[in-house]
Amino acid sequence: MKSAKNEFRWSLFEELPVVGIMRNISKEDADEILPGFIGAGFTTLEVSLSSPNAPGLISGLVQQYGDHLNVGAGTVIDLQDLQVALEAGAGFIVTPVVDEDVIRYCAANGIPVFAGAFTPTEIVKAWKLGASMVKVFPADELGPGYIKSLKAPLEKIRLLPTGGISADNAQNYLNAGADGLGVSTGLFKADLISNKKWTELKDYLRRFGAIVKNHTQN
């Protein structure tokens, strides 16, 4: 299996620790969205493998935006998906579940992996297998209070709550102790994209980015 062509930069991620999750968005729309995404300070982009032509989209985004963004692949559930993602040039991997083979391979080969888990047992297992961060998914089922409760006994485990997060509740998750956020439609607003309201989306991205920046700088 090939290793990642697009090396993940932790320093870039830490500038604004949000993984923007792009799903079912065309390359044409991505080219309208990403300048505003980058301009708002976002640095890390996940492309879901469930999206049409995901490998081609990842390759194109790495080539065009790789100087400014960490570009990775999400919805990776087995080694076959992992190979597709890495051959496309993904610099990091996101899974929705604890897949031992995927996590072990990434950990052994220096590829950041954000492994999906929900219960405390799953979260600790993913971390011990070598997950770079644990994606707590679906976070909106129990909300920020769940992240706070997890962080009490698991303070050393880096948590990335994902699911149902938007500019309206991001601060609550950060205050609860989240080490980063995974955000899909709460960042890439489907109504604004479908109606091509690029200026409104750019303003929203700037507002969301400012919330996270203010938290990390204080």
Side-chain angles (χ1 to χ4, degrees):
M1 193 181 298
K2 295 183 179 180
S3 60
K5 304 171 185 175
N6 168 36
E7 186 175 353
F8 186 88
R9 291 156 287 178
W10 280 106
S11 59
L12 200 57
F13 173 76
E14 298 295 350
E15 287 179 14
L16 206 159
V18 172
V19 178
I21 303 166
M22 188 172 282
R23 183 180 290 108
N24 299 327
I25 293 176
S26 69
K27 178 63 165 61
E28 292 73 21
D29 284 350
D31 285 335
E32 296 284 353
I33 296 164
L34 290 179
F37 182 75
I38 294 167
F42 293 95
T43 61
T44 303
L45 181 71
E46 168 195 336
V47 177
S48 172
L49 286 187
S50 62
S51 301
N53 189 34
L57 182 58
I58 292 168
S59 296
L61 294 176
V62 168
Q63 183 175 1
Q64 188 168 353
Y65 300 101
D67 289 342
H68 305 286
L69 295 175
N70 293 314
V71 180
T75 323
V76 174
I77 61 172
D78 54 32
L79 289 175
Q80 184 176 352
D81 284 345
L82 179 61
Q83 180 153 4
V84 169
L86 296 180
E87 288 181 348
F92 67 98
I93 299 297
V94 184
T95 76
V97 295
V98 180
D99 186 281
E100 295 185 21
D101 292 335
V102 170
I103 298 171
R104 284 197 176 106
Y105 182 91
C106 290
N109 289 276
I111 301 163
V113 56
F114 301 74
F118 189 69
T119 68
T121 299
E122 291 173 341
I123 290 166
V124 171
K125 181 178 181 179
W127 186 253
K128 287 184 174 180
L129 285 168
S132 310
M133 297 184 78
V134 180
K135 173 180 124 176
V136 183
F137 173 80
D140 52 337
E141 287 299 311
L142 293 176
Y146 184 52
I147 302 302
K148 185 176 181 179
S149 295
L150 288 170
K151 269 296 187 176
L154 307 178
E155 61 179 347
K156 294 182 180 179
I157 298 180
R158 303 190 75 199
L159 300 181
L160 184 88
T162 303
I165 297 174
S166 69
D168 295 329
N169 62 15
Q171 187 68 62
N172 295 334
Y173 281 95
L174 295 169
N175 290 343
D179 298 283
L181 304 171
V183 192
S184 55
T185 54
L187 191 62
F188 301 117
K189 307 287 281 184
D191 56 332
L192 298 181
I193 293 171
S194 63
N195 290 300
K196 313 297 184 186
K197 294 184 177 180
W198 306 125
T199 300
E200 289 184 38
L201 181 59
K202 183 177 179 179
D203 291 342
Y204 176 78
L205 290 170
R206 189 180 297 115
R207 179 163 71 91
F208 199 132
I211 291 169
V212 182
K213 285 179 189 175
N214 289 338
H215 179 86
T216 56
Q217 291 170 1
N218 293 333

